[in-house]
Amino acid sequence: MKTVLVTGATSGFGKGLVTSLLENDFQVIATGRNILGRKDIFAAEREKYKSKLIELNLDVTSQADLKSMETYFLKRPLDVLINNAGFAVFGPAEECTEEKLRRQFEVNVFGMMLLTQKLLPSLRLAKGHIINFSSVFGFMGFPLSSAYCASKFAVEGFSESLSYELKPHSVKVTLIEPGAYRTNFNNAAEWGMSETLPTSVYHRQVTNYTSLRDKLSKRPNPQRPEDVVRGVISIIKSHNPKLNYSFGKDAFSIRFFKKVFTRSLFHKVSGSFLNKAFTKEQ
Ligand SMILES: NC(=O)c1ccc[n+]([C@@H]2O[C@H](COP(=O)([O-])OP(=O)(O)OC[C@H]3O[C@@H](n4cnc5c(N)ncnc54)[C@H](OP(=O)(O)O)[C@@H]3O)[C@@H](O)[C@H]2O)c1
């Protein structure tokens, strides 16, 4: 039976992946911030799948938790590592605090890199597979999202480099690039500014972004997180997975336009659309 470790398993894609992996007969190590103190999350799965489900505390920014993971996996093979934990910091680059910028990278980038580093001996032992959650924002910039986009672009660079580096060691690397899906992502997203001031030169952009996110969150979203979960399961089962997979019509169309347009044409067209959307009067 193959063993899969999932980070950020307490919610959203991560939680869905744990349940679905168990249904598909994998041994699952579900990790999350204080997951052992949040017993209700996998109560049904624990009852049903017994020892096939192992829960371990892992805050990807905690040195102590990362060390425990390393110790747990010492000389033990790991077939699949799913680096899913992540969140977004939004706000104008000029106004995001240093603390928020660093936190964005600590969780989305350094957490992923350090955990991967610690588990690579186990992944090499199993000739395993690393699956890293990026985003549509891992290949497209967006206003008031520079911190999040920068973190996901970093995930893309890390993963692509790693895929070449680990090929001689028979470890595969795959990027998951979802568009917008209704998980807890929006609730967990944070503004990077210490306060939102009406005197800020970015005030209108912030207001427009707030109402855009608000509008989108109220509109039915046909993109279902279960489809991403199902997709990831089939990627894990496939013999020859690709480097990257986009999920959702939004991510797919942006990938398509980025492929058919030159970079400068794409930038010009999306720039003019985004400029209108972010600077219009309410
Ligand atoms: N939903 C989308 O539209 C979307 C689109 C593109 C990419 N993504 C990416 O998909 C991944 C999963 O997000 P989601 O949509 O499933 O959102 P979610 O429901 O908010 O889940 C995020 C998970 O990450 C965990 N997490 C946050 N900080 C952590 C830390 N320091 N250590 C360990 N775990 C931590 C959260 O744990 P807590 O429960 O403790 O907060 C939660 O389990 C993220 O990498 C996100 O960037 C999401």
Side-chain angles (χ1 to χ4, degrees), residues 99-115:
E99 194 221 325
K100 290 279 177 138
L101 294 178
R102 288 190 186 280
R103 177 89 192 145
Q104 180 71 101
F105 270 69
E106 286 298 337
V107 177
N108 291 11
V109 184
F110 296 122
M112 172 183 288
M113 290 173 79
L114 293 173
L115 180 65

Side-chain angles (χ1 to χ4, degrees), residues 8 10-11 13 33 38 59-60 84 148 152 179 181 183-184:
T10 50
S11 164
F13 296 135
R33 289 192 286 192
R38 297 153 83 180
D59 176 332
V60 296
N84 159 75
Y148 183 63
K152 293 299 186 181
Y181 284 85
T183 56
N184 195 44

